[in-house]
Amino acid sequence: MNKTVNINLANSLFHIDDAAYDKLRRYLESVKRSFAGTAGSDEIIADIEARVAELFLEKMENERQVITQKEVDAVINIMGQPEDYMVDEDIFEDQPKSSSSKTTSTSRVKKLYRDTDQKYIGGVCSGLEYYLGFDALWIRLIFLLLGIFTGFGFIAYILLWILVPEASTTSQKLDMTGKPINISNIERKVKEGFDDVADKVKNVDYDKMGDKVKSGSKTFFDTIGDIIMFLFKVFGKFIGILLIIVGASTLIGLFIGLFTVGIIDVVHLPGLDFYDIVNTSGAPVWLVSLLLFFAVGIPFFFLLYLGLKILVNNLKSIGNIAKFSLLGLWLVTVGVLIALAVRQAAEFATVGSVSVKEEWVMADNDSILIQMNNSDYDLTMDRVHFGRMMLAYDDNDTPILVSDDVRFDIKKSKDTIARLNIRKDSHGPTFEKARERAKKVDYGYNINGNVITLDDYLTTVSENKARQQEIRTTVLIPEGTIVSFGEYVSGHVGRSTKNDRDYYRSDIIDYTWIMGSDGELKCQDCPVKSFEYDDDNDGKIIINEDGIDIKINDRDEKGKIIINEDGIDIDVQDRNESFKLKVDEDGVEIKTEDDN
């Protein structure tokens, strides 16, 4: 049984066993003794303790974990012993280090920070110099040129200024340069800072410094930079809140959709029958729901994480392993969804057809009536549809597919034989499979004398899947055949039916027609087209079912001409002369003013 103690290291609380605590205490005391009397020793010790605390946090799996001698030895091995480093490195900086030194000589992975020690405005370019290995001068020129010619340079600089943290601590400055964070490098970095301060104190121009103190302690760029940073921090906080709201709401919606649709499918609750009808990929609905959850949810999770990073400065990173794992999972998910979508789309690549034909002889100038058999199914669009296809149940409660995609056209037969050609169409991945589906389409019709009755719907078994099945019927009738329409025909007349009135196909059902020699239907009882003309001189011409009515009223001239079923009636009044001519079944009647 080991005794544990609680310690506060760099403002972080740790649970450590007694033996590990003694070893860590002796190590830190030896470090303090080695830097006693050294310039900046307090800052060096503080940075070393902060680094030790950071290493402990990296090795801890949870907050209650107790630190043992194993973790202390690992940290000491990384940091190194004080006696392993030369006290005055500046004197021997050209001399190679002893091979017995435990200093880690390998470079660490660099992290991107803003270097405010070498900044002009925000320290972005000087930070990129360490991260990319290019001179900061060239990076500044690139930002300037992109900003002048495209505007992107200014935007990118401002975004990096907002999002990239400043290298303020010694550990962050070492992370920025990629150097190991150990005792030697921490000491060197702190001493460099003190040397820079000493050089600035030696070379200071007190007259100029006095002027600066009088004019203000901040430079122009610092003042402008503080203002811009304040505005963009406010804007950044707003963006962070917006990203959190969007990401969180989307993830919540995806969770609800996953657990409702997925669970309904797993326990086979009703409501998802239609998915099985339209799906041919073989993937169950719960699997598709899970794939969609990852494909959509992972990007929005990173949006949520980005929003939290903007709002919370000390938010702990999820780690590169988690990031790359999520990225890999997202790529796999998107790839599987694309494969399923391609497989689904292939089901509509080809159209196959089968035909049913009927023939019968018609007498000259015979008549024919075309009507539709009203459906017993509710085909309203407020129900679940796939195109024109709908899931319904027959009298035995067997699920079937019903569609009202039924059309017929009327064309001229080449002889005295009337023909009925019913074509069943369906889609499929190949022509053969499409024809097999078309054969399974059920469609009813009846020919009773001169009456043709067609169903206004088609049906097929649910196992046949919804593949845009349709019925296209052609009625071929001899020249001179009179055609009329019965009930429920509206909406089922095809585009290929021609008529001499240029009526829209749904408008021809209210009239009686006769098949002409040119293949067009000639209307027998359509109203005469009305025509009315009115010029600027008060003249008017009216042509309608009442006949032709011409009225003349030009200055002092008045006249009227009427041509209808009663004959021709002309009445002219020219100044002081009047003339009237009437031609009808009684003969010709002429009257002038003298006759009165």
Side-chain angles (χ1 to χ4, degrees):
M1 181 180 296
N2 294 330
K3 178 182 178 181
T4 62
V5 296
N6 296 330
I7 62 172
N8 185 344
L9 189 63
N11 295 324
S12 297
L13 181 64
F14 297 98
H15 306 286
I16 184 169
D17 66 34
D18 194 38
Y21 170 74
D22 290 338
K23 189 168 187 177
L24 177 63
R25 178 178 55 79
R26 291 194 301 269
Y27 173 74
L28 294 177
E29 287 177 352
S30 64
V31 171
K32 290 180 181 179
R33 287 194 301 269
S34 65
F35 289 108
T38 304
S41 60
D42 292 339
E43 185 176 351
I44 294 173
I45 298 302
D47 286 335
I48 291 174
E49 290 183 354
R51 177 57 178 166
V52 171
E54 181 182 353
L55 292 174
F56 280 153
L57 290 173
E58 290 179 358
K59 296 180 179 299
M60 291 175 60
E61 297 180 357
N62 56 71
E63 295 180 355
R64 294 184 173 272
Q65 180 177 339
V66 177
I67 297 174
T68 63
Q69 290 192 63
K70 179 182 178 181
E71 284 78 21
V72 173
D73 291 338
V75 170
I76 293 175
N77 185 52
I78 295 174
M79 298 297 295
Q81 295 288 349
E83 59 268 18
D84 295 333
Y85 302 100
M86 301 177 184
V87 176
D88 192 356
E89 295 179 355
D90 293 334
I91 299 176
F92 304 100
E93 61 181 358
D94 295 331
Q95 180 178 341
K97 291 183 179 182
S98 172
S99 60
S100 62
S101 175
K102 296 182 182 179
T103 305
T104 305
S105 60
T106 56
S107 298
R108 302 173 67 248
V109 177
K110 298 178 182 179
K111 293 184 180 180
L112 181 59
Y113 288 97
R114 290 187 293 111
D115 183 12
T116 55
D117 294 335
Q118 307 294 331
K119 71 175 183 177
Y120 276 154
I121 299 177
V124 174
C125 296
S126 54
L128 287 173
E129 178 181 10
Y130 289 107
Y131 191 77
L132 300 177
F134 293 107
D135 190 275
L137 175 63
W138 296 108
I139 298 176
R140 292 185 178 104
L141 288 176
I142 291 173
F143 274 110
L144 184 60
L145 293 175
L146 290 176
I148 293 175
F149 292 104
T150 64
F152 175 75
F154 297 132
I155 298 175
Y157 188 91
I158 293 173
L159 289 176
L160 290 173
W161 192 357
I162 297 172
L163 299 177
V164 176
E166 173 189 349
S168 56
T169 66
T170 303
S171 297
Q172 290 174 340
K173 292 178 180 179
L174 291 173
D175 272 339
M176 179 176 64
T177 58
K179 296 179 180 179
I181 306 176
N182 50 35
I183 294 177
S184 176
N185 287 329
I186 291 175
E187 177 194 7
R188 183 185 300 109
K189 199 67 181 176
V190 172
K191 291 176 66 177
E192 286 176 357
F194 276 91
D195 292 340
D196 291 340
V197 172
D199 291 339
K200 291 179 181 179
V201 171
K202 292 177 182 178
N203 300 324
V204 67
D205 188 333
Y206 292 100
D207 293 335
K208 292 183 178 180
M209 183 59 67
D211 294 336
K212 285 187 176 181
V213 172
K214 293 178 182 179
S215 61
S217 60
K218 290 187 176 181
T219 64
F220 173 76
F221 281 119
D222 288 335
T223 304
I224 297 298
D226 290 341
I227 295 174
I228 294 176
M229 283 299 296
F230 173 76
L231 294 177
F232 277 99
K233 282 181 179 179
V234 173
F235 180 72
K237 298 297 182 182
F238 172 76
I239 295 297
I241 294 173
L242 184 63
L243 292 178
I244 291 174
I245 293 174
V246 172
S249 59
T250 303
L251 290 176
I252 292 172
L254 289 173
F255 268 115
I256 295 174
L258 175 65
F259 285 101
T260 53
V261 177
I263 291 176
I264 287 175
D265 177 66
V266 170
V267 300
H268 301 290
L269 294 178
L272 292 178
D273 297 334
F274 201 74
Y275 173 81
D276 294 329
I277 295 170
V278 301
N279 174 46
T280 58
S281 62
V285 65
W286 66 264
L287 177 60
V288 177
S289 300
L290 187 63
L291 292 174
L292 289 174
F293 174 79
F294 287 127
V296 180
I298 291 176
F300 279 94
F301 168 76
F302 279 107
L303 282 181
L304 174 63
Y305 179 71
L306 177 60
L308 291 174
K309 290 285 286 185
I310 293 175
L311 291 180
V312 183
N313 295 328
N314 298 325
L315 182 66
K316 189 174 180 180
S317 174
I318 63 175
N320 290 331
I321 296 177
K323 292 178 182 177
F324 286 109
S325 298
L326 289 174
L327 176 61
L329 178 61
W330 182 78
L331 292 175
V332 171
T333 302
V334 171
V336 174
L337 286 175
I338 292 175
L340 293 177
V342 171
R343 185 173 179 180
Q344 179 74 19
E347 290 293 321
F348 298 88
T350 308
V351 179
S353 303
V354 295
S355 297
V356 178
K357 297 182 179 180
E358 294 281 351
E359 293 184 354
W360 68 97
V361 180
M362 296 190 65
D364 293 340
N365 299 324
D366 203 349
S367 64
I368 191 171
L369 173 65
I370 302 176
Q371 63 183 12
M372 306 296 291
N373 184 22
N374 189 26
S375 171
D376 294 332
Y377 301 103
D378 181 13
L379 300 178
T380 56
M381 294 302 294
D382 58 348
R383 303 189 64 182
V384 179
H385 283 70
F386 180 74
R388 304 298 295 270
M389 190 72 70
M390 182 197 71
L391 179 66
Y393 293 87
D394 61 11
D395 296 336
N396 299 321
D397 287 335
T398 302
I400 59 174
L401 295 176
V402 183
S403 174
D404 63 349
D405 195 356
V406 174
R407 300 286 184 273
F408 70 88
D409 285 297
I410 303 174
K411 296 183 179 181
K412 178 178 173 294
S413 176
K414 59 185 178 180
D415 47 29
T416 59
I417 303 297
R419 296 175 176 85
L420 183 68
N421 185 8
I422 300 176
R423 192 185 76 230
K424 305 176 182 179
D425 295 338
S426 180
H427 286 72
T430 63
F431 180 73
E432 290 76 12
K433 291 184 178 181
R435 291 192 76 250
E436 286 297 323
R437 280 202 175 98
K439 290 179 182 179
K440 296 178 181 179
V441 173
D442 295 324
Y443 182 70
Y445 67 95
N446 181 47
I447 302 175
N448 186 9
N450 292 344
V451 178
I452 300 176
T453 304
L454 305 171
D455 283 349
D456 64 348
Y457 62 94
L458 64 89
T459 61
T460 186
V461 293
S462 59
E463 292 79 5
N464 202 26
K465 306 292 185 181
R467 292 298 174 265
Q468 295 182 355
Q469 289 89 340
E470 61 186 21
I471 297 294
R472 295 295 179 261
T473 301
T474 303
V475 181
L476 298 169
I477 57 176
E479 178 184 350
T481 302
I482 298 173
V483 182
S484 59
F485 301 96
E487 295 181 314
Y488 314 116
V489 178
S490 178
H492 294 283
V493 182
R495 298 177 181 272
S496 299
T497 301
K498 307 297 181 182
N499 64 87
D500 62 342
R501 296 302 181 96
D502 291 330
Y503 282 176
Y504 188 68
R505 58 182 186 272
S506 61
D507 297 332
I508 70 173
I509 62 175
D510 297 325
Y511 307 104
T512 303
W513 306 80
I514 187 171
M515 177 57 70
S517 59
D518 56 356
E520 283 189 344
L521 294 176
K522 312 296 182 181
C523 190
Q524 301 301 294
D525 54 358
C526 295
V528 178
K529 293 183 179 179
S530 299
F531 171 79
E532 185 171 342
Y533 170 76
D534 194 351
D535 64 8
D536 296 335
N537 295 322
D538 296 330
K540 180 181 291 187
I541 301 175
I542 300 175
I543 303 175
N544 52 30
E545 61 272 12
D546 296 328
I548 302 175
D549 190 354
I550 303 175
K551 297 180 180 180
I552 302 173
N553 184 9
D554 187 12
R555 296 185 182 91
D556 296 332
E557 297 181 1
K558 296 181 180 180
K560 176 192 286 188
I561 302 175
I562 299 175
I563 303 175
N564 52 29
E565 58 185 2
D566 296 329
I568 301 174
D569 190 355
I570 301 175
D571 190 357
V572 180
Q573 182 177 352
D574 186 12
R575 294 184 177 89
N576 297 322
E577 296 180 358
S578 179
F579 172 80
K580 184 174 184 180
L581 172 64
K582 183 176 182 181
V583 180
D584 54 19
E585 58 184 1
D586 297 329
V588 179
E589 180 182 359
I590 300 175
K591 292 182 180 181
T592 63
E593 186 179 9
D594 296 337
D595 296 332
N596 295 332

XYZ file of all heavy atoms in Angstrom, residues 203-258:
431
model
N 21.597 50.256 -25.572
C 21.543 51.034 -26.801
C 20.381 52.017 -26.842
O 20.118 52.600 -27.891
C 21.429 50.100 -28.017
C 22.613 49.160 -28.101
O 23.749 49.545 -27.777
N 22.357 47.921 -28.531
N 19.708 52.206 -25.756
C 18.535 53.056 -25.786
C 18.931 54.513 -25.950
O 19.950 54.966 -25.416
C 17.708 52.860 -24.495
C 18.464 53.386 -23.276
C 16.361 53.561 -24.604
N 18.193 55.216 -26.730
C 18.353 56.671 -26.889
C 17.331 57.325 -25.966
O 16.130 57.335 -26.248
C 18.101 57.064 -28.347
C 18.458 58.530 -28.604
O 18.382 59.323 -27.647
O 18.794 58.853 -29.754
N 17.809 57.862 -24.834
C 16.894 58.357 -23.821
C 16.105 59.573 -24.283
O 14.987 59.800 -23.819
C 17.677 58.682 -22.541
C 18.214 57.438 -21.880
C 19.541 57.059 -22.052
C 17.390 56.640 -21.102
C 20.035 55.913 -21.451
C 17.872 55.497 -20.491
C 19.197 55.138 -20.674
O 19.683 53.999 -20.085
N 16.701 60.364 -25.182
C 15.944 61.509 -25.699
C 14.740 61.037 -26.501
O 13.624 61.540 -26.351
C 16.863 62.380 -26.566
C 17.954 63.050 -25.738
O 17.714 63.238 -24.525
O 19.024 63.359 -26.305
N 15.010 60.065 -27.410
C 13.892 59.552 -28.220
C 12.878 58.828 -27.338
O 11.679 58.903 -27.571
C 14.414 58.600 -29.296
C 15.232 59.295 -30.372
C 15.651 58.304 -31.435
C 16.440 59.003 -32.550
N 16.867 58.047 -33.595
N 13.401 58.106 -26.336
C 12.485 57.401 -25.451
C 11.601 58.372 -24.691
O 10.414 58.120 -24.483
C 13.271 56.534 -24.463
C 12.395 55.691 -23.542
S 11.319 54.562 -24.454
C 12.549 53.478 -25.149
N 12.195 59.485 -24.291
C 11.386 60.493 -23.611
C 10.299 61.037 -24.503
O 9.174 61.266 -24.071
N 10.648 61.267 -25.791
C 9.627 61.745 -26.725
C 8.511 60.718 -26.888
O 7.335 61.069 -26.991
C 10.265 62.064 -28.080
C 11.236 63.238 -27.981
O 11.072 64.050 -27.034
O 12.145 63.322 -28.827
N 8.893 59.445 -26.933
C 7.865 58.408 -27.098
C 6.955 58.322 -25.882
O 5.766 58.111 -25.994
C 8.520 57.044 -27.335
C 9.102 56.887 -28.733
C 9.570 55.457 -28.949
C 10.068 55.268 -30.374
N 10.520 53.877 -30.617
N 7.574 58.480 -24.700
C 6.760 58.452 -23.481
C 5.777 59.601 -23.464
O 4.623 59.469 -23.069
C 7.656 58.471 -22.239
C 6.819 58.652 -20.978
C 8.468 57.192 -22.163
N 6.245 60.760 -23.952
C 5.356 61.911 -23.993
C 4.235 61.708 -25.002
O 3.100 62.112 -24.785
C 6.149 63.171 -24.337
C 7.145 63.580 -23.249
C 7.925 64.795 -23.669
C 8.962 65.192 -22.611
N 9.759 66.371 -23.031
N 4.590 61.149 -26.159
C 3.587 61.006 -27.225
C 2.696 59.786 -27.018
O 1.639 59.672 -27.624
C 4.276 60.897 -28.593
O 5.119 59.744 -28.607
N 3.098 58.889 -26.178
C 2.291 57.684 -25.951
C 3.178 56.468 -25.949
O 4.217 56.433 -26.596
N 2.800 55.463 -25.174
C 3.635 54.283 -25.035
C 3.449 53.301 -26.179
O 4.236 52.377 -26.317
C 3.318 53.589 -23.709
O 1.961 53.196 -23.677
N 2.446 53.436 -27.005
C 2.164 52.497 -28.083
C 2.457 53.132 -29.427
O 2.263 54.327 -29.623
C 0.702 52.044 -28.063
C 0.368 51.148 -26.877
C -1.033 50.606 -27.018
C -1.335 49.628 -25.898
N -2.686 49.060 -26.020
N 2.919 52.313 -30.352
C 3.139 52.776 -31.717
C 1.802 52.850 -32.440
O 0.772 52.366 -31.967
C 4.076 51.827 -32.463
O 3.441 50.550 -32.581
C 5.403 51.666 -31.712
N 1.836 53.469 -33.612
C 0.624 53.602 -34.415
C 0.071 52.239 -34.800
O -1.128 51.980 -34.691
C 0.943 54.429 -35.660
C -0.188 54.494 -36.649
C -1.291 55.308 -36.419
C -0.171 53.709 -37.798
C -2.329 55.358 -37.318
C -1.209 53.761 -38.693
C -2.283 54.588 -38.460
N 0.988 51.360 -35.227
C 0.537 50.038 -35.643
C -0.028 49.245 -34.474
O -0.980 48.469 -34.629
C 1.683 49.255 -36.292
C 1.943 49.654 -37.719
C 3.164 50.183 -38.092
C 0.963 49.493 -38.688
C 3.394 50.545 -39.405
C 1.194 49.843 -40.004
C 2.418 50.382 -40.368
N 0.589 49.414 -33.283
C 0.051 48.717 -32.121
C -1.356 49.179 -31.791
O -2.241 48.386 -31.465
C 0.956 48.939 -30.906
C 2.262 48.167 -31.028
O 2.260 47.158 -31.746
O 3.268 48.599 -30.429
N -1.598 50.482 -31.888
C -2.928 51.021 -31.592
C -3.961 50.520 -32.594
O -5.040 50.055 -32.227
C -2.893 52.552 -31.598
O -1.904 53.009 -30.671
C -4.251 53.124 -31.209
N -3.596 50.645 -33.895
C -4.505 50.149 -34.938
C -4.723 48.650 -34.777
O -5.840 48.134 -34.919
C -3.958 50.482 -36.331
C -3.868 52.000 -36.528
C -4.835 49.858 -37.411
C -5.202 52.714 -36.442
N -3.628 47.956 -34.452
C -3.749 46.512 -34.287
C -4.658 46.141 -33.143
O -5.456 45.199 -33.252
N -4.566 46.867 -32.029
C -5.438 46.576 -30.888
C -6.906 46.800 -31.244
O -7.789 46.019 -30.856
C -5.055 47.446 -29.693
C -3.715 47.038 -29.100
O -3.282 45.902 -29.378
O -3.112 47.858 -28.379
N -7.170 47.868 -31.999
C -8.554 48.155 -32.400
C -9.089 47.054 -33.312
O -10.204 46.544 -33.138
C -8.644 49.530 -33.081
C -8.282 50.642 -32.079
C -10.045 49.754 -33.650
C -8.193 52.020 -32.696
N -8.253 46.707 -34.306
C -8.687 45.665 -35.249
C -8.876 44.339 -34.524
O -9.853 43.615 -34.756
C -7.666 45.524 -36.391
C -7.649 46.805 -37.243
C -7.990 44.317 -37.272
C -6.597 46.799 -38.329
N -7.945 44.013 -33.626
C -8.056 42.760 -32.895
C -9.319 42.721 -32.029
O -9.985 41.694 -31.935
C -6.823 42.559 -32.022
C -5.597 42.099 -32.793
S -5.863 40.495 -33.601
C -6.097 39.443 -32.197
N -9.651 43.852 -31.414
C -10.857 43.897 -30.594
C -12.099 43.645 -31.446
O -12.973 42.840 -31.083
C -10.972 45.246 -29.893
C -12.272 45.438 -29.170
C -12.514 44.803 -27.962
C -13.269 46.244 -29.715
C -13.726 44.971 -27.305
C -14.481 46.409 -29.061
C -14.697 45.767 -27.844
N -12.177 44.324 -32.607
C -13.345 44.159 -33.472
C -13.448 42.734 -33.993
O -14.535 42.139 -34.015
C -13.277 45.158 -34.631
C -13.381 46.639 -34.252
C -13.214 47.515 -35.494
C -14.722 46.940 -33.587
N -12.308 42.183 -34.398
C -12.364 40.847 -34.965
C -12.524 39.775 -33.893
O -13.038 38.694 -34.179
C -11.108 40.573 -35.798
C -11.194 41.119 -37.183
C -10.596 42.319 -37.512
C -11.909 40.454 -38.165
C -10.683 42.838 -38.783
C -11.990 40.961 -39.453
C -11.393 42.151 -39.765
N -12.093 40.049 -32.682
C -12.376 39.110 -31.610
C -13.869 39.053 -31.317
O -14.430 37.977 -31.092
C -11.603 39.502 -30.354
C -10.128 39.112 -30.390
C -9.424 39.501 -29.106
C -7.958 39.084 -29.159
N -7.235 39.474 -27.926
N -14.515 40.220 -31.346
C -15.974 40.241 -31.167
C -16.651 39.492 -32.302
O -17.555 38.665 -32.092
C -16.478 41.694 -31.075
C -18.006 41.725 -31.057
C -15.919 42.385 -29.841
N -16.184 39.781 -33.525
C -16.751 39.092 -34.686
C -16.459 37.592 -34.621
O -17.305 36.757 -34.954
C -16.175 39.686 -35.967
C -16.685 39.045 -37.226
C -17.972 39.261 -37.670
C -15.863 38.202 -37.960
C -18.436 38.668 -38.825
C -16.322 37.603 -39.119
C -17.616 37.842 -39.549
N -15.228 37.243 -34.176
C -14.872 35.841 -34.057
C -15.726 35.118 -33.032
O -16.122 33.966 -33.231
N -16.011 35.782 -31.904
C -16.880 35.172 -30.903
C -18.278 34.914 -31.470
O -18.890 33.875 -31.211
C -16.977 36.078 -29.676
C -15.665 36.315 -28.960
C -15.076 35.038 -28.387
C -13.788 35.321 -27.626
N -13.172 34.079 -27.104
N -18.768 35.877 -32.258
C -20.082 35.704 -32.887
C -20.056 34.509 -33.852
O -20.991 33.689 -33.866
C -20.475 36.978 -33.621
C -21.721 36.838 -34.452
C -22.980 36.827 -33.862
C -21.636 36.709 -35.829
C -24.121 36.680 -34.628
C -22.771 36.570 -36.605
C -24.018 36.553 -35.997
N -18.989 34.414 -34.656
C -18.868 33.280 -35.577
C -18.786 31.974 -34.795
O -19.372 30.955 -35.187
C -17.632 33.462 -36.481
C -17.803 34.685 -37.397
C -17.385 32.208 -37.322
C -18.953 34.577 -38.359
N -18.038 31.991 -33.681
C -17.942 30.787 -32.870
C -19.287 30.346 -32.329
O -19.626 29.154 -32.355
N -20.075 31.289 -31.841
C -21.419 30.950 -31.341
C -22.289 30.393 -32.457
O -23.019 29.409 -32.278
C -22.062 32.194 -30.704
C -21.287 32.618 -29.451
C -23.529 31.938 -30.355
C -21.748 33.926 -28.856
N -22.200 31.029 -33.632
C -22.995 30.558 -34.774
C -22.596 29.143 -35.180
O -23.458 28.293 -35.456
C -22.808 31.521 -35.947
C -23.642 31.242 -37.204
C -25.126 31.357 -36.882
C -23.278 32.217 -38.324
N -21.287 28.873 -35.202
C -20.831 27.527 -35.551
C -21.299 26.499 -34.534
O -21.688 25.379 -34.898
C -19.306 27.515 -35.652
C -18.680 28.294 -36.814
C -17.161 28.227 -36.741
C -19.161 27.758 -38.152
N -21.282 26.857 -33.275
C -21.746 25.928 -32.233
C -23.228 25.633 -32.391
O -23.667 24.479 -32.293
C -21.436 26.510 -30.841
C -19.921 26.527 -30.592
C -22.135 25.708 -29.751
C -19.528 27.211 -29.310
N -24.015 26.678 -32.654
C -25.460 26.474 -32.811
C -25.758 25.585 -34.015
O -26.538 24.627 -33.939
C -26.173 27.834 -32.938
C -26.064 28.612 -31.616
C -27.640 27.640 -33.317
C -26.609 30.007 -31.692
N -25.111 25.898 -35.155
C -25.361 25.113 -36.373
C -24.893 23.675 -36.190
O -25.609 22.715 -36.513
C -24.650 25.770 -37.576
C -24.738 24.871 -38.801
C -25.269 27.131 -37.878
N -23.675 23.508 -35.666
C -23.152 22.161 -35.489
C -23.963 21.343 -34.507
O -24.296 20.176 -34.771
N -24.303 21.939 -33.357
C -25.042 21.201 -32.330
C -26.446 20.839 -32.802
O -26.901 19.706 -32.604
C -25.105 22.029 -31.046
N -27.154 21.788 -33.425
C -28.520 21.504 -33.896
C -28.516 20.426 -34.966
O -29.403 19.554 -34.992
C -29.172 22.783 -34.419
O -28.405 23.340 -35.481
N -27.528 20.454 -35.858
C -27.452 19.424 -36.903
C -27.175 18.054 -36.305
O -27.795 17.056 -36.691
C -26.366 19.782 -37.918
O -26.628 21.071 -38.469
C -26.323 18.763 -39.045
N -26.242 17.986 -35.362
C -25.932 16.707 -34.726
C -27.128 16.165 -33.956
O -27.406 14.947 -33.987
C -24.734 16.871 -33.802
C -23.377 17.097 -34.481
C -22.296 17.350 -33.448
C -23.003 15.897 -35.343
N -27.864 17.032 -33.274
C -29.054 16.583 -32.551
C -30.094 16.032 -33.526
O -30.703 14.975 -33.292
C -29.634 17.737 -31.715
C -28.679 18.102 -30.568
C -31.003 17.368 -31.156
C -29.084 19.342 -29.809
N -30.305 16.752 -34.633
C -31.248 16.263 -35.646
C -30.823 14.932 -36.230
O -31.655 14.041 -36.460
N -29.507 14.767 -36.463
C -29.019 13.498 -36.999
C -29.191 12.371 -35.986
O -29.526 11.247 -36.358
C -27.551 13.641 -37.386
C -27.265 14.505 -38.623
C -25.765 14.708 -38.789
C -27.844 13.868 -39.877
N -28.944 12.660 -34.709
C -29.157 11.644 -33.671
C -30.617 11.201 -33.644
O -30.922 10.006 -33.577
C -28.751 12.194 -32.303
C -27.322 11.909 -31.938
C -26.424 12.958 -31.792
C -26.876 10.607 -31.762
C -25.098 12.708 -31.468
C -25.555 10.352 -31.437
C -24.659 11.405 -31.283
N -31.528 12.175 -33.693
C -32.954 11.831 -33.672
C -33.314 10.999 -34.895
O -34.018 9.978 -34.798
C -33.801 13.116 -33.606
C -33.560 13.842 -32.273
C -35.280 12.795 -33.775
C -34.231 15.188 -32.182
N -32.831 11.424 -36.073
C -33.124 10.662 -37.283
C -32.532 9.269 -37.254
O -33.164 8.297 -37.680
N -31.316 9.141 -36.720
C -30.671 7.829 -36.656
C -31.427 6.877 -35.747
O -31.702 5.728 -36.119
C -29.231 7.993 -36.169
C -28.450 6.689 -35.920
C -28.253 5.941 -37.228
C -27.110 6.985 -35.266
